[in-house]
């Protein structure tokens, strides 16, 4: 049997190119070697998105994005977190073996406390229990599927370690029940740069949305920050434009692009070339994306079928945990 891999993605915004190369593509690659589950972490997003309309819209768009990028729901179990109620029951069980101190040390919570303290605020100002307990829910997501590997970015490494700790606490008290998961950090991808040359991130407002329309894509590319060198002057071949071009081009094409820059290609012309290259890569996927977004019933059907498969695994694990803690009649 193949080892199992799971990853959750929060529907908190529109997917950008950094997300595609840093998360979506590596997950699809990994699914060739592992039994893979991918889910929309909508109950995790609840701490960020407070409008029902927005949460629905982002969920539909995120699901459509994965499908358009080539996720085959026959090969990958693709579902919505909130459609697997077993997770939330396990979340409660796990809460009872999780030391509060472990949650105090979680990065996201600690960062808020530190910011509050430096501003002279109450340390828990602006912290709700959803944020505080976030790592326990993530542990439930991971442990309920007997997960071996969790492919995540560096920022989520600690959450995976917490999930492993919680599994150990539980197993120690009740006997071997949960598999111990491991984070799998993909280092080969590196950091995709944004319009200003820093890491592409929603929080820096420097993203290129993966599936915006062609006009918007062109406009966004025009915003890439360059220096003031004029056409004819040699340019730095290690610039943001070249780094982005490389993602969409063959090795030879990327090399030619760099040579052209070094021999004086103008920024305007270079941006046009980048647009053409990116757009020809994205266009067929964008057409699929638009199709899914305008067929929400089809997307819903896919997610429901995925949830059914996920629940088969989740039910069995939850049952093990229930047996272990003694909330139901002992199975003979
Ligand atoms: P953002 O920083 O825009 O809020 P998220 O934190 O939601 O992005 O990231 C979701 C996933 O995409 C994570 O797995 C993360 O590692 C990956 N990712 C985001 N930005 C980049 C980037 N610039 N380069 C590589 N991977 C990225
Ligand atoms: N916490 C993850 C993030 O912020 C999303 C997530 C929720 C997740 N549950 C998960 C990731 C389980 C991997 C496995 O991106």
């Amino acid at each position: 049997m193949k080892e199992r891999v799971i990853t959750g993605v929060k529907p908190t915004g529109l997917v950008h190119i950094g997300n595609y190369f840093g998360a979506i593509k590596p997950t699809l690659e990994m699914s060739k070697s592992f039994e893979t589950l991918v889910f929309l972490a909508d109950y995790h997003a609840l701490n960020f998105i407070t409008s029902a309309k927005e949460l629905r819209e982002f969920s539909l768009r995120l699901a459509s994005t994965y499908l358009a990028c080539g996720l085959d729901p026959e090969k990958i179990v693709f579902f919505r977190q909130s459609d697997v109620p077993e997770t939330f029951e396990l979340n409660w069980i796990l809460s009872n073996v999780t030391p509060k101190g472990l949650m105090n040390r979680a990065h996201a919570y600690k960062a808020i406390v530190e910011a509050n303290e430096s501003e002279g605020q109450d340390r828990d100002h602006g912290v709700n229990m959803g944020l505080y307990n976030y790592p326990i829910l993530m542990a439930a997501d991971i442990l309920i599927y007997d997960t071996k590997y969790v492919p995540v970015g560096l920022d989520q490494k600690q959450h995976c370690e917490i999930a492993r700790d919680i599994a150990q606490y539980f197993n120690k008290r009740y006997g071997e029940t949960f598999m111990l998961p491991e984070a799998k950090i993909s280092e080969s991808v590196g950091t995709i740069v944004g319009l200003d040359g820093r890491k592409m991130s929603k929080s820096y407002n420097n993203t290129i949305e993966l599936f915006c329309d062609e006009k918007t894509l062109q406009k966004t590319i025009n915003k890439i920050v360059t220096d003031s060198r004029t056409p004819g002057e040699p340019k730095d071949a290690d610039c943001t434009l070249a780094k982005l071009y490389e993602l969409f081009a063959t090795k030879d094409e990327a090399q030619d692009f760099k040579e052209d820059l070094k021999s004086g290609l103008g920024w305007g012309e270079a941006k046009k070339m980048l647009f053409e290259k990116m757009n020809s890569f994205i266009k067929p996927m964008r057409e699929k994306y638009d199709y899914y977004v305008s067929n929400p019933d089809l997307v819903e059907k896919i997610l429901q079928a995925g949830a059914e498969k996920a629940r088969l695994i989740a039910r069995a694990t939850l049952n093990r945990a229930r047996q272990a803690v003694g909330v139901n009649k002992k199975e003979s």
Side-chain angles (χ1 to χ4, degrees):
M1 230 171 71
K2 280 189 187 171
E3 287 164 317
R4 198 173 281 149
V5 155
I6 185 150
T7 192
V9 239
K10 289 195 306 273
T12 47
L14 297 176
V15 164
H16 56 69
I17 290 186
N19 301 142
Y20 175 73
F21 287 101
I24 300 180
K25 199 169 164 233
T27 299
L28 298 181
E29 275 302 311
M30 227 174 154
S31 73
K32 292 178 189 157
S33 327
F34 296 95
E35 183 190 343
T36 306
L37 290 87
V38 176
F39 67 93
L40 311 178
D42 54 349
Y43 267 144
H44 275 110
L46 209 53
N47 220 266
F48 305 85
I49 307 290
T50 51
S51 140
K53 188 167 170 270
E54 245 183 41
L55 188 56
R56 275 192 204 102
E57 184 69 23
F58 283 149
S59 297
L60 168 65
R61 288 186 178 268
L62 185 58
S64 301
T65 299
Y66 270 82
L67 293 166
C69 291
L71 182 149
D72 177 353
E74 295 299 320
K75 297 201 176 117
I76 291 180
V77 181
F78 188 43
F79 61 103
R80 197 164 26 211
Q81 181 186 32
S82 58
D83 285 330
V84 183
E86 288 79 4
T87 305
F88 309 97
E89 187 173 336
L90 183 61
N91 175 65
W92 179 253
I93 296 177
L94 297 179
S95 301
N96 289 276
V97 297
T98 306
K100 180 167 174 285
L102 192 62
M103 298 298 97
N104 291 342
R105 290 191 290 277
H107 293 322
Y109 173 67
K110 241 174 92 176
I112 296 180
V113 169
E114 277 163 17
N116 281 337
E117 280 174 345
S118 73
E119 284 159 24
Q121 291 269 19
D122 181 278
R123 61 200 308 274
D124 282 330
H125 175 73
V127 175
N128 62 42
M129 293 308 289
L131 185 141
Y132 191 67
N133 289 333
Y134 185 105
I136 311 181
L137 181 56
M138 183 154 160
D141 286 332
I142 295 171
L143 301 182
I144 207 159
Y145 299 108
D146 284 331
T147 305
K148 174 84 181 167
Y149 297 116
V150 191
V152 282
L154 250 189
D155 61 319
Q156 295 297 314
K157 186 167 174 257
Q158 190 200 27
H159 284 151
C160 296
E161 288 163 359
I162 291 176
R164 193 181 169 91
D165 289 345
I166 293 177
Q168 279 171 326
Y169 286 126
F170 189 99
N171 289 352
K172 191 157 175 250
R173 187 186 293 175
Y174 295 109
E176 287 306 308
T177 307
F178 295 116
M179 189 156 184
L180 302 184
E182 273 172 51
K184 203 152 188 125
I185 315 287
S186 107
E187 272 137 17
S188 58
V189 181
T191 303
I192 310 302
V193 292
L195 302 177
D196 53 3
R198 292 188 292 170
K199 177 190 173 200
M200 186 178 288
S201 171
K202 286 191 284 287
S203 22
Y204 295 150
N205 207 6
N206 64 354
T207 61
I208 304 176
E209 197 187 307
L210 181 60
F211 291 135
C212 59
D213 59 57
E214 286 188 9
K215 250 206 177 123
T216 311
L217 181 62
Q218 194 144 30
K219 271 197 196 153
T220 313
I221 289 174
N222 284 337
K223 286 190 208 152
I224 295 174
V225 179
T226 58
D227 59 27
S228 55
R229 275 178 261 188
T230 53
E233 281 186 78
K235 316 282 187 303
D236 176 10
D238 203 29
C239 60
T240 305
L241 270 170
K243 283 182 190 153
L244 289 170
Y245 193 90
E246 237 172 0
L247 296 169
F248 299 91
T250 63
K251 267 206 167 96
D252 286 348
E253 287 168 341
Q255 197 49 42
D256 289 349
F257 189 72
K258 284 184 179 180
E259 291 306 323
D260 288 349
L261 283 169
K262 278 194 235 168
S263 43
L265 179 71
W267 289 126
E269 199 51 42
K271 285 180 176 177
K272 264 191 213 143
M273 287 170 72
L274 175 62
F275 167 75
E276 292 302 335
K277 191 48 60 204
M278 258 193 198
N279 194 45
S280 64
F281 178 92
I282 294 173
K283 197 173 179 185
M285 302 200 297
R286 186 195 293 124
E287 280 163 9
K288 286 189 196 151
Y289 172 78
D290 291 340
Y291 171 76
Y292 284 116
V293 172
S294 50
N295 286 282
D297 291 349
L298 171 62
V299 176
E300 190 56 35
K301 230 167 124 181
I302 293 171
L303 292 173
Q304 290 306 323
E308 253 175 62
K309 292 185 214 165
R311 289 189 74 183
L312 277 181
I313 310 170
R315 256 183 235 131
T317 320
L318 176 64
N319 195 38
R320 267 194 341 254
R322 290 175 124 247
Q323 287 293 329
V325 301
V327 292
N328 54 359
K329 201 170 133 266
K330 190 159 174 33
E331 274 176 2
S332 45

